[in-house]
Amino acid sequence: MQSTAQSFDLNTLQNIATGVLQVSALVFLLLFVIGVLVVLYLYLSDVTQTKQAIRRNYPVIGRFRYLFEHLGEFFRQYFFSMDREELPFNRAQRAWVYRAAKNIDSTVAFGSTNPMNRAGDVIFVNDMFPVLSENFAEPRPVIIGEGYCEMPYKTRSIFNVSGMSFGAISIPAVKALSHGAKKAGIWLNTGEGGLSPYHLEGGCDLVFQIGTAKYGVRDSKGKLSDEKLLELATKKEVRMFEIKLSQGAKPGKGGILPGVKVTPVIASTRGIPEGSDSISPNGHPDIRSVDELLEMIYRIRNVTGKPCGFKAVVGKSEWLDEMMQAIHRRGLDHAPDFITIDSADGGTGAAPQSLIDFMGLPLRRSLPLVVDKLVEYGLRERIKVICAGKLVNPSHVAWALCMGADFITSARGFMFSLGCIQAMQCNKNTCPTGITTHDPELQRGLDPADKTERVANYAKNIVYEVGTIAHSCGVAEPRELTRGHAQIINDAGMPVPMADIHPNAETRQEYLKHYARGEAAMQVDK
């Protein structure tokens, strides 16, 4: 009886095994047939289409070319590129931001991988007697608009969040930036997409940016509305207003937000139809000259009672002289309270490659140009200088301070702190980290509470390390850095004093009284 049971079990197992094999064979055969049909379909599709020569000449196999081309950017990033090879930001630059945002050890060992003979790079000049820790000082406060508006803005912040429009970045990203900026004591620029409730949620200081489409402050005809300006000015979080004339990555081109990213809340914030492409004009129709720009600044400051300046990419520089002369002709109350200089290698969510690669001056040329022009016309202390453009590491920020900037702002640096992996998908609504997408499934990965801490950590750690550079240079705080504290590598690979390449400008005799007045104001600030 036991033998019969064992025989039954063996027969059952054999039957099951035979059945599994038969089913597997049928499945394999079915998949094989489907595969053959798919290949046949692809073959016929390729040989009959006329748009791609590779597919027509090499049907089916030619498709792998496009697959490998797409995958190549990811393989290069993780397997083939050296630490300091990638663009726009290399792995070493990104890795420092990631470590700073996580507040983990950012030291490195053995030696520098940064070549110290590359033309254009900066080297800081250490002092034989660095500042001792007991003599470290906080960055001195800077007052923007003092004496020219009802509510000037006073802040110690050095490194702030540059303009990223709500729409270009997601709701959880805006939330994290707002809360993180508040925690770090820095400002957040709204970008040209208007003021959303998520900007206000964290309670940080805000710079409201007025783009060419006037989103958030436009009337029914698309023109600037004094009523809406005044309404915004009543919000205590809004500390300044910035007129955006141009953007580093695309001077001469308006903002571009693909329709797939124009959700109901974005549409209501901007005052545009849901799902339609949001394309701003390539310039302000009501600002077509230096005089009209100064008149608009004067108007916005008077309506809001708060500082007003403008953002621009420098290309042709003749307008700078024209503007400085117009300011002296009209009076200092018509001067911008600040100028934000954007670099030609600045970031964007979407831009034509012909502009992103070849238009405008990089910050290394435009920042000293603007600073020196302000000094030449005796306006350096009246007009504060903000700069932006690939300034994501401490050395970049310290360089800008040496060159004469009052403030530095960054967008992509803070995107890295949010978790950006430089996937270059900003214009496709497929950002894998949830920062520049409005796909709820992708946004789910971005936790605002966690990223708030990272934003704050990044801002604090970068200022801390800029302070470390300053102390090594022999000054107590970052705002004391000057052109005498840095050298620039020349074409022969040798360091040359920054002050030799960019000599300190001198104020013209006829404008010395304005410079002296500004110097006195600066001493009061200190």
Side-chain angles (χ1 to χ4, degrees), residues 244-318:
K244 178 182 175 183
L245 297 179
S246 52
Q247 182 176 339
K250 50 187 175 185
K253 181 73 176 176
I256 304 170
L257 186 66
V260 69
K261 298 177 75 171
V262 181
T263 62
V265 64
I266 291 167
S268 63
T269 299
R270 295 193 175 204
I272 59 175
E274 176 187 348
S276 300
D277 289 347
S278 175
I279 302 177
S280 302
N282 66 337
H284 289 267
D286 48 357
I287 303 176
R288 309 309 306 150
S289 68
V290 162
D291 282 311
E292 288 181 349
L293 172 61
L294 297 180
E295 196 60 45
M296 181 64 76
I297 290 169
Y298 183 78
R299 170 187 169 186
I300 293 172
R301 187 192 299 120
N302 278 355
V303 169
T304 64
K306 296 183 177 182
C308 180
F310 68 90
K311 173 182 179 177
V313 185
V314 177
K316 293 181 178 179
S317 58
E318 293 82 1

Side-chain angles (χ1 to χ4, degrees), residues 444-496:
R444 187 169 54 88
L446 200 164
D447 176 21
D450 174 66
K451 302 307 181 188
T452 290
E453 299 300 321
R454 296 195 182 192
V455 167
N457 289 339
Y458 172 51
K460 292 175 181 177
N461 283 324
I462 201 168
V463 173
Y464 174 81
E465 289 223 5
V466 173
T468 300
I469 292 173
H471 304 148
S472 182
C473 288
V475 295
E477 58 102 347
R479 284 204 166 96
E480 293 180 5
L481 288 169
T482 68
R483 296 181 188 184
H485 293 118
Q487 297 197 7
I488 297 175
I489 307 297
N490 66 11
D491 291 338
M494 296 297 293
V496 177

Side-chain angles (χ1 to χ4, degrees), residues 374-386:
L374 290 171
V375 172
E376 180 184 343
Y377 283 91
L379 296 171
R380 181 61 191 89
E381 296 307 321
R382 167 68 182 96
I383 302 172
K384 307 307 179 187
V385 177
I386 305 169

Side-chain angles (χ1 to χ4, degrees), residues 105-424:
D105 183 18
S106 61
T107 59
V108 293
F110 199 68
S112 174
T113 61
N114 184 45
M116 296 191 180
N117 59 353
R118 187 170 52 194
D121 280 4
V122 63
I123 289 179
F124 299 99
V125 183
N126 63 291
D127 193 277
M128 278 293 290
F129 306 100
V131 176
L132 299 178
S133 57
E134 58 264 32
N135 296 322
F136 291 175
E138 287 187 50
R140 67 173 178 83
V142 174
I143 306 176
I144 304 175
E146 185 179 25
Y148 296 94
C149 59
E150 295 175 16
M151 291 171 276
Y153 180 40
K154 182 177 181 179
T155 178
R156 291 183 182 273
S157 70
I158 289 175
F159 189 67
N160 303 279
V161 187
S162 190
M164 290 179 279
S165 300
F166 173 53
I169 59 174
S170 64
I171 291 174
V174 175
K175 286 183 175 181
L177 289 170
S178 177
H179 286 276
K182 174 65 174 180
K183 194 163 188 177
I186 63 177
W187 80 60
L188 166 64
N189 190 305
T190 64
E192 64 178 297
L195 181 67
S196 73
Y198 314 108
H199 287 109
L200 297 165
E201 189 174 290
C204 68
D205 291 345
L206 296 171
V207 177
F208 184 86
Q209 189 179 86
I210 302 172
T212 55
K214 311 291 196 296
Y215 292 133
V217 286
R218 57 192 284 170
D219 60 21
S220 58
K221 296 180 180 179
K223 297 183 181 299
L224 185 66
S225 166
D226 287 357
E227 290 74 19
K228 291 189 176 180
L229 275 173
L230 189 56
E231 182 183 345
L232 277 177
T234 60
K235 300 182 186 301
K236 67 180 189 306
E237 294 87 355
V238 177
R239 306 303 300 271
M240 300 194 294
F241 290 82
E242 178 184 79
I243 302 170
K244 178 182 175 183
L245 297 179
S246 52
Q247 182 176 339
K250 50 187 175 185
K253 181 73 176 176
I256 304 170
L257 186 66
V260 69
K261 298 177 75 171
V262 181
T263 62
V265 64
I266 291 167
S268 63
T269 299
R270 295 193 175 204
I272 59 175
E274 176 187 348
S276 300
D277 289 347
S278 175
I279 302 177
S280 302
N282 66 337
H284 289 267
D286 48 357
I287 303 176
R288 309 309 306 150
S289 68
V290 162
D291 282 311
E292 288 181 349
L293 172 61
L294 297 180
E295 196 60 45
M296 181 64 76
I297 290 169
Y298 183 78
R299 170 187 169 186
I300 293 172
R301 187 192 299 120
N302 278 355
V303 169
T304 64
K306 296 183 177 182
C308 180
F310 68 90
K311 173 182 179 177
V313 185
V314 177
K316 293 181 178 179
S317 58
E318 293 82 1
W319 66 272
L320 286 168
D321 291 284
E322 184 184 347
M323 183 182 71
M324 310 288 178
Q325 292 164 9
I327 290 170
H328 284 296
R329 187 174 65 251
R330 286 169 163 264
L332 296 185
D333 56 340
H334 278 77
D337 297 304
F338 62 89
I339 298 175
T340 301
I341 311 163
D342 205 0
S343 181
D345 51 9
T348 180
Q353 190 167 2
S354 55
L355 296 183
I356 205 171
D357 285 346
F358 303 108
M359 189 61 69
L361 293 179
L363 196 63
R364 287 181 179 272
R365 175 70 184 100
S366 57
L367 177 57
L369 174 63
V370 173
V371 169
D372 290 348
K373 283 292 180 185
L374 290 171
V375 172
E376 180 184 343
Y377 283 91
L379 296 171
R380 181 61 191 89
E381 296 307 321
R382 167 68 182 96
I383 302 172
K384 307 307 179 187
V385 177
I386 305 169
C387 66
K390 292 191 76 172
L391 307 176
V392 303
N393 292 144
S395 60
H396 303 150
V397 175
W399 167 85
L401 291 169
C402 286
M403 200 60 83
D406 294 298
F407 304 96
I408 293 86
T409 63
S410 176
R412 288 173 292 180
F414 282 98
M415 288 175 68
F416 289 138
S417 75
L418 290 172
C420 170
I421 61 171
Q422 195 169 276
M424 314 286 274

Side-chain angles (χ1 to χ4, degrees), residues 504-516:
N504 290 315
E506 294 184 0
T507 304
R508 295 187 189 182
Q509 190 68 32
E510 61 267 38
Y511 302 124
L512 277 174
K513 60 179 181 179
H514 298 293
Y515 183 75

